[in-house]
Amino acid sequence: MIPSVLRCSEAGCGTEVPRDYRGYSCPVCGNLLQAVPNPGPLSPEQLKKNWRERRASNAPLDTSGVWRFREYLPDCPADAVVTLAEGNVPLLAGQKTADYAGARHLWFKHLGWNPTGSFKDLGMTVAVTEARRQGAETVACASTGNTAASMAAYAARANLRARVYLPKGGASMQKLAQALDFGAETQYVDGNFDDALRVLMAEADTGIYFLNSINPFRIEGQKTAIFHLMDQLDWRAPDYIVLPGGNLGNSAAFGKAIEELAAIGLMNPIPRLVIVQARGSNALVRTVESGGSELQVVTDPQTMATAIRIGNPRSWKKALRALRFTGGIVMDVDDADIMAAKQVLGRDGIGSEPASATTLAGIRHLIADGRMDPEARVVAFLTGHALKDTDSILNARRGDA
Ligand code: F0G
């Protein structure tokens, strides 16, 4: 459970604000805020036992693969939770994908197999629950599409108005259609995701509750993907956890989960986090290469993996912390790598949208370059369903038929 304050994520600052604070960043130093869980008196062994037993329970909160881990989530009465039974996705062994990457022990955790087809549902169940708890009437986000679709679905369940800001030409039609289907108001912004986020934050008044990943409650929900993974692995940590990086909220969430589980002895050894960006949208790669003290913004981000076409990632400092804590790696892959890897995922019967395929492309490069042991135990997170972006498939196949 999380007490009624949020704390600045900058270690040297530590300023605390009330849980209802709507500023999203620290009023003293401007860094992002984060929730600090207080899991209570249970031992790690008892926590593991609870989490495992809840898998077999039909109680509404236990059927959510997010709220099952509620000792580490914001305190909330069970009947106030907004859930679509998200989070219950399997761990799949790689077959042709493993051969393609040269990895002997490769698994995929496909968060695209969530209710709206992306990992965003894990964060939205927590953050929309919080929006309603705080009495919000309208929720809003800027999005390359998946956040929009997910927010719209959870807002519909919670009877909240949903407003989404999409970059013109930068979100697939499937994602737009989902947001419309769930009743969201949509607005196109000239420019890219970073422009859409700027417009949203400038326009919004205090009556609107923001649901981009600067919202610390989103991070709390997304971090449970790692708790769930560890339960599936019988608490034997993999050597590597690999995920795509865009606005870097998910990287922040995974890093936070690894730290929290390590603090109670449930993350042994500490897996190395590998964040894979698209080469034309590689702000974190550039930032690390230049020493890490200032974000190296990419002013005109490009990639056909539109979900991660982002040049000014807001959670970059939290992502850097995750890399440092885990001895992690940040890398980039080009669009040809992404599309080649995506096709192999399809041949494995798994499928994904392009942004997710960065992970397989990244693993292949790391092994080929000798930076990753082929014997390592590797878990790659896939973040969006194949049907999220069918143009990317059809365009790649034009002329094949
Ligand atoms: N994969 C998919 C399928 C995504 O939709 C996103 C982000 C990411 C990876 C990157 O995650 O931003 O936490 O680093 N999509 C956002 C959106 C930006 O608006 O749907 P991140």
Side-chain angles (χ1 to χ4, degrees), residues 100 244-245 276-281 302-306 308 332-346 352-362 364-365 389 392 396:
Y100 178 74
V276 192
Q277 298 198 292
R279 188 147 304 151
S281 306
Q302 295 297 337
T303 168
M304 50 79 57
T306 54
I308 51 173
D332 53 16
V333 292
D334 66 25
D335 281 4
D337 290 332
I338 294 173
M339 286 315 290
K342 181 176 146 46
Q343 285 201 12
V344 185
L345 279 159
S352 77
E353 70 166 283
S356 307
T358 55
T359 54
L360 178 60
R364 183 170 200 253
H365 276 294
D389 183 355
S392 70

Side-chain angles (χ1 to χ4, degrees), residues 1-8 16 34-39 72 220 223 256 260:
M1 288 184 297
I2 288 175
S4 53
V5 291
L6 299 171
R7 191 178 297 159
C8 177
E16 291 190 350
Q34 65 181 4
V36 186
N38 171 14
Y72 274 83
E220 291 309 293
K223 84 183 179 189
K256 190 166 190 284
E260 288 176 2

Side-chain angles (χ1 to χ4, degrees), residues 186-246:
T186 59
Q187 186 171 325
Y188 276 121
V189 175
D190 278 324
N192 55 40
F193 169 84
D194 305 303
D195 300 313
L197 189 55
R198 224 177 357 255
V199 168
L200 163 66
M201 297 196 67
E203 274 186 15
D205 56 57
T206 50
I208 294 183
Y209 190 75
F210 279 111
L211 284 172
N212 280 101
S213 56
I214 54 170
N215 181 314
F217 294 92
R218 283 247 339 252
I219 302 298
E220 291 309 293
Q222 287 174 207
K223 84 183 179 189
T224 62
I226 298 294
F227 287 60
H228 194 241
L229 168 71
M230 290 301 291
D231 186 23
Q232 287 169 313
L233 291 173
D234 295 323
W235 300 94
R236 192 172 154 230
D239 298 308
Y240 291 91
I241 291 178
V242 187
L243 82 167

Side-chain angles (χ1 to χ4, degrees), residues 107-138:
W107 294 272
F108 294 97
K109 191 159 169 63
H110 203 329
L111 300 179
W113 292 6
N114 266 296
T116 75
S118 84
F119 73 98
K120 307 289 181 177
D121 297 337
L122 277 56
M124 284 301 168
T125 180
V126 176
V128 171
T129 296
E130 181 65 13
R132 198 166 63 170
R133 194 194 70 82
Q134 292 192 21
E137 290 175 1
T138 303

Side-chain angles (χ1 to χ4, degrees), residues 119-120 143-147 193 244-250 307-308 310 353 355 383-384:
F119 73 98
K120 307 289 181 177
S143 177
T144 54
N146 281 327
T147 303
F193 169 84
N247 208 21
L248 300 175
N250 218 24
I308 51 173
I310 294 172
E353 70 166 283
T383 44

